[in-house]
């Protein structure tokens, strides 16, 4: 006579990013009960987040509800809440929803911005990790032009039309390129008093070259593409002081009223609650199979993990997170089945970054490409890896429309808005009809 | 010898809705300098706002930047700021940007919600007038299901799955229909513990019938369509008390944790600052040509104006606002040219409202239609009147995708989220895998 089956093991996956979502999906049909906990109700395709920040795409073009993705996978239950603390000994994750006990844990909460000890800079120079970040940055960019149009003081007006990006990695390069295009093309004819094509965009990088992780030749090409767009590229230059309207880089002072931060990341703060060895960026140092040495039932994947690869640590990119998430799920199942687990090996297929309209750099294995061909490759790779037919279609249509019209489809300023003129009560609003484009022409 | 031309008259248009935008556009090429002041940077196609609130469309699908619309019309300058007070004698509008003097004023700031003296209800039962309102309502609807999934108390769970809409006009009817569909179709398979198809939607209307402004036969048809979707329609029923989780209608108590307000509108508060006669809803009583009797250089258009028509006041619908905006601009130009102005006549072409998937009611002149044909008419009319090719295309694609898949494309919960369980620290989160759909089945 068959006995009643024991309850299936409960696997808690924290984080619905590339690592956590792919861990969950790879367990489709496995004899476990999975809870996927995320503080958002969607999976975000982060590589395109800068396009939301620069008004080219909608948030929902690159974000898909986790429940919709996992609807048919009946062994997964999605819970909307924030993980706050892990108690490894009690096997419990404490969350905004209350304590969640687990038999196996896959922790994949990712990374957040790092201001290298200057956390006060975060309000002046926001970073780009979440949808809310992207909508805030979009608002700042669009409001800067609105404020410039209404500003009688020519110096202040020029500060509104100056944008500085700190950090010359892929995100910084992509933001700088898009910022230049917004002024040169998208908004070129939309104002009456200012001339948006006079926009100044400055990209600041601490290393000797931008795209430091790419081959040197591609860094040069990227610099040239950016300079063709009018971006000023400063390398070997560290931000030493930063306020709402001023950035100091060495002994150089940059007066800019929109500052964006793309310089550093650190692991999400939950790693501090584990009581296990972390690297300098707060990432958890894991065993070769991605588990914790002290707790073999716990696996860490994605940007939260410090994974040793053949050529140094595995980089914090989407492909690596996807591979690590799937590997962690396999390792976890080998614990369930009491079979040996295998070391993780990152298969690096290359990397790519766009630099505005019809230009990109890409490394595919040892092959370096740049310009239009790299851009087309970039388009295809990103559309293919987006989740969901609708999103692929919407993103392709959005890009096609932008390419043809030079416009951007999501130029809305949403949320709270400040009054644009601080001296509002004193002077009349200029009625800019008689002498167009006077404000930004230097004499 | 020709003398230097005097400066062109300055026309200030306040409000970029249907009335203000169309006033501005109809003045293309006119010998005036126009400033269009709006507190948002976009024109909003309000008739589709309920589709943003119910996750079917993106905000940017129905909102187009005013600057983009008016880019080529060189006599218009757009300013982003909020009008606060009009000084008719000084000919100045005081705004968040400072004072703006005018020679001619077209005031079209529209309407806002009215809670009939119970303003405290607004936090419990938000209304739907702005993009921010729509995103807030979307968040409330989606979070209600998330909370229900995690709620151990069966009674509370049922309250989370109960939605009540106060007000049975077109907006209320459209919201109620969409709310029913979200549970019955969109989310049907997305949860493990609750059964979203058990959703309860209640529509409360004070008049004897919903869609009171429509022919009686169409009200009946709309009621029948709603009931087929599972919506409970209560007529002749006024809300007498309202809290976060409870609505009292006469002696009936409705326990619902998501309440939406679609019952009343009043004129935007700037009308109070004019010192001219207003109607009970705060709308400005205007002359037949839409100007103020005391100040012929000031015109009022759209929902801010109380316009007497042949069959009572002109209704607050998009078509009427468009016509009034254009008429006000014409009247204003007749003042400039010192020619007589003409009385406004509303050309009523009909009205229509959708009731969920493939059902609508429409009146075209004296012809009444309902069901599938009315729905197709509704689709075409709304796509045609959207501004911009891209928006028409995106909305059509979004609708086609939703129609085929029963899905909704913008199911994101953005902005601040509360913790979903108030008793979070005490009990473990239920791991809902073993007995699906127990929570909402009544015994």
């Amino acid at each position: 006579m068959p006995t009643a089956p024991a309850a299936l093991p409960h696997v808690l996956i924290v984080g619905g990013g590339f690592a956590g979502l792919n861990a969950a999906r790879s367990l489709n049909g496995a004899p476990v009960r999975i809870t996927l906990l995320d503080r958002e109700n969607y999976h975000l395709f982060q590589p395109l987040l800068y396009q939301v920040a620069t008004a080219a795409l909608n948030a929902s073009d690159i974000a898909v509800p986790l429940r919709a993705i996992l609807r048919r996978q009946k062994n997964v239950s999605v819970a909307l809440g924030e993980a706050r603390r892990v108690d490894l000994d009690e096997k419990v994750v404490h969350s905004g929803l209350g304590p969640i006990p687990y038999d196996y844990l896959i922790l994949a909460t990712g990374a957040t911005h790092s201001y290298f000890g200057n956390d006060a800079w975060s309000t002046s120079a926001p970073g780009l990790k979440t949808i809310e970040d992207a909508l805030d940055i979009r608002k700042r960019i669009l409001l800067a032009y609105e404020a410039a149009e209404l500003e009688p003081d020519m110096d202040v007006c020029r500060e509104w039309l100056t944008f500085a990006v700190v950090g010359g990695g892929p995100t910084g390069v992509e933001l700088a390129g898009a910022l230049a295009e917004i002024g040169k093309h998208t908004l070129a004819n939309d104002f009456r008093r200012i001339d948006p094509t006079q926009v100044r965009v400055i990209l600041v990088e601490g290393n000797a070259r931008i795209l430091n992780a790419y081959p040197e030749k591609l860094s040069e090409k990227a610099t040239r593409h950016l300079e063709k767009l009018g971006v000023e590229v400063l390398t070997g230059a560290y931000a030493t002081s930063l306020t709402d309207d001023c950035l100091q880089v060495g002994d150089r002072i940059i007066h800019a009223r929109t500052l964006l931060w793309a310089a550093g990341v650190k692991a999400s703060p939950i790693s501090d609650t584990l009581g296990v060895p972390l690297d300098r960026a707060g990432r958890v140092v894991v065993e070769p199979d991605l588990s914790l040495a002290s707790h073999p039932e716990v696996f860490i994947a994605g940007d939260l993990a410090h994974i040793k690869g053949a050529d140094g640590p595995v980089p914090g990119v989407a492909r690596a997170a996807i591979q690590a998430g799937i590997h962690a799920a396999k390792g976890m199942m080998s614990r369930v089945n009491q079979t040996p687990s295998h070391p993780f090996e990152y298969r690096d297929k290359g990397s790519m970054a766009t630099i505005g309209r019809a230009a990109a750099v890409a490394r595919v294995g040892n092959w370096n490409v740049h310009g239009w061909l790299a851009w087309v490759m970039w388009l295809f790779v990103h559309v293919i890896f987006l989740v969901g037919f609708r999103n692929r279609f919407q993103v392709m249509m959005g890009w096609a429309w932008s390419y043809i019209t030079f416009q951007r489809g999501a130029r809305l300023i949403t949320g709270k808005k400040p009054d644009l003129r601080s001296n509002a009560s004193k002077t009349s609003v200029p009625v800019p009809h008689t002498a167009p484009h006077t404000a930004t022409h230097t004499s």
Side-chain angles (χ1 to χ4, degrees), chain A:
Chain A
M1 229 172 74
T3 53
L8 294 175
H10 179 223
V11 180
L12 175 59
I13 301 176
V14 184
F18 285 111
L21 175 63
N22 284 284
R25 290 172 88 171
S26 73
L27 292 169
N28 193 1
V32 288
R33 295 171 302 152
I34 304 161
T35 300
L36 176 59
L37 179 73
D38 198 289
R39 61 184 173 183
E40 307 294 351
N41 77 326
Y42 48 80
H43 167 71
L44 175 64
F45 192 77
Q46 270 195 356
L48 292 180
L49 193 56
Y50 84 95
Q51 297 220 346
V52 175
T54 54
L57 292 178
N58 288 304
S60 70
D61 294 342
I62 62 160
V64 189
L66 288 165
R67 292 193 185 284
I69 302 173
L70 296 164
R71 168 184 302 151
R72 291 196 184 83
Q73 188 175 334
K74 294 298 179 194
N75 66 349
V76 179
S77 174
V78 175
L80 177 65
E82 185 162 18
R84 292 188 181 153
R85 184 166 62 82
V86 182
D87 188 330
L88 290 174
D89 294 328
E90 294 291 327
K91 294 191 181 178
V92 166
V93 170
H94 294 275
S95 77
L97 301 172
I100 309 178
Y102 62 80
D103 298 313
Y104 298 92
L105 175 65
I106 298 177
L107 204 55
T109 50
T112 180
H113 328 292
S114 168
Y115 288 87
F116 307 121
N118 300 294
D119 287 354
W121 294 2
S122 64
T123 51
S124 303
L128 181 61
K129 273 284 168 191
T130 66
I131 289 278
E132 278 78 12
D133 291 341
L135 298 179
D136 175 46
I137 289 175
R138 181 178 81 181
K139 179 161 73 177
R140 285 173 189 244
I141 296 168
L142 296 174
L143 279 178
Y145 286 91
E146 298 291 340
E149 174 83 343
L150 294 164
E151 179 56 55
D153 183 323
M154 298 272 279
D155 290 330
V156 176
C157 184
R158 246 175 250 121
E159 289 175 20
W160 278 122
L161 292 178
T162 306
F163 297 81
V165 180
V166 182
T171 300
V173 166
E174 288 169 336
L175 279 173
L179 282 168
E181 290 199 334
I182 286 172
K184 305 276 178 193
H185 297 306
T186 313
L187 301 180
N189 300 308
D190 279 19
F191 292 82
R192 298 293 177 258
R193 197 167 145 270
I194 59 166
D195 178 1
T197 67
Q198 303 289 312
V199 63
R200 238 187 112 194
V201 181
I202 300 151
L203 178 64
V204 177
E205 165 61 41
N207 286 302
R209 58 189 176 90
I210 59 169
L211 297 180
N212 195 40
Y214 285 61
E216 205 166 327
K217 198 189 140 202
L218 289 184
S219 293
E220 280 166 34
K221 294 286 180 193
T223 304
R224 219 167 308 155
H225 279 299
L226 283 171
E227 286 173 349
K228 228 168 83 181
L229 280 170
V231 176
E232 301 165 43
V233 180
L234 304 182
T235 53
Y238 286 93
T240 49
S241 135
L242 194 156
T243 64
D244 277 357
D245 56 4
C246 185
L247 170 70
Q248 191 166 353
V249 179
D251 50 7
R252 187 163 172 167
I253 305 235
I254 298 165
H255 293 283
R257 295 213 170 207
T258 310
L259 303 171
L260 305 180
W261 189 261
V265 294
K266 63 180 178 199
S268 88
I270 203 167
S271 67
D272 288 333
T273 73
L274 292 168
V276 299
L278 308 178
D279 72 5
R280 277 195 313 171
R283 291 178 300 185
V284 181
V285 182
V286 294
E287 296 294 291
D289 69 352
L290 306 183
S291 69
L292 288 184
S294 56
H295 288 84
E297 74 280 9
V298 177
F299 291 78
I300 318 280
D303 287 356
L304 190 69
H306 177 111
I307 308 169
K308 292 187 185 76
D311 322 310
V314 170
V317 297
R319 291 298 304 161
I322 293 169
Q323 292 176 23
I326 294 168
H327 192 88
K330 268 190 200 147
M332 188 276 300
M333 284 311 292
S334 68
R335 295 282 192 281
V336 174
N337 299 322
Q338 296 179 303
T339 55
S341 62
H342 300 285
F344 174 67
E345 276 175 61
Y346 171 46
R347 292 176 303 283
D348 178 10
K349 300 201 175 137
S351 46
M352 39 183 44
T354 37
I355 312 148
R357 189 179 173 80
V361 293
R363 176 183 61 77
V364 185
N366 291 319
W367 183 46
N368 295 334
V369 210
H370 72 98
W372 187 82
L373 179 61
W375 182 71
V376 172
M377 286 167 49
W378 182 92
L379 290 180
F380 272 93
V381 167
H382 282 77
V383 164
I384 286 166
F385 281 104
L386 263 175
V387 173
F389 169 78
R390 181 184 153 282
N391 294 67
R392 283 185 205 123
F393 182 81
Q394 293 245 108
V395 166
M396 275 197 294
M397 288 297 119
W399 285 346
W401 183 79
S402 289
Y403 187 78
I404 295 165
T405 64
F406 286 87
Q407 286 299 303
R408 286 167 182 264
R411 264 172 57 196
L412 308 188
I413 300 171
T414 51
K416 280 211 170 140
K417 283 177 289 295
D419 279 335
L420 289 180
R421 296 174 81 224
S422 48
N423 52 351
S425 57
K426 290 169 211 140
T427 58
S428 285
V429 175
V431 180
H433 291 281
T434 35
H437 293 179
T438 50
T440 48
H441 285 193
T442 47
S443 53

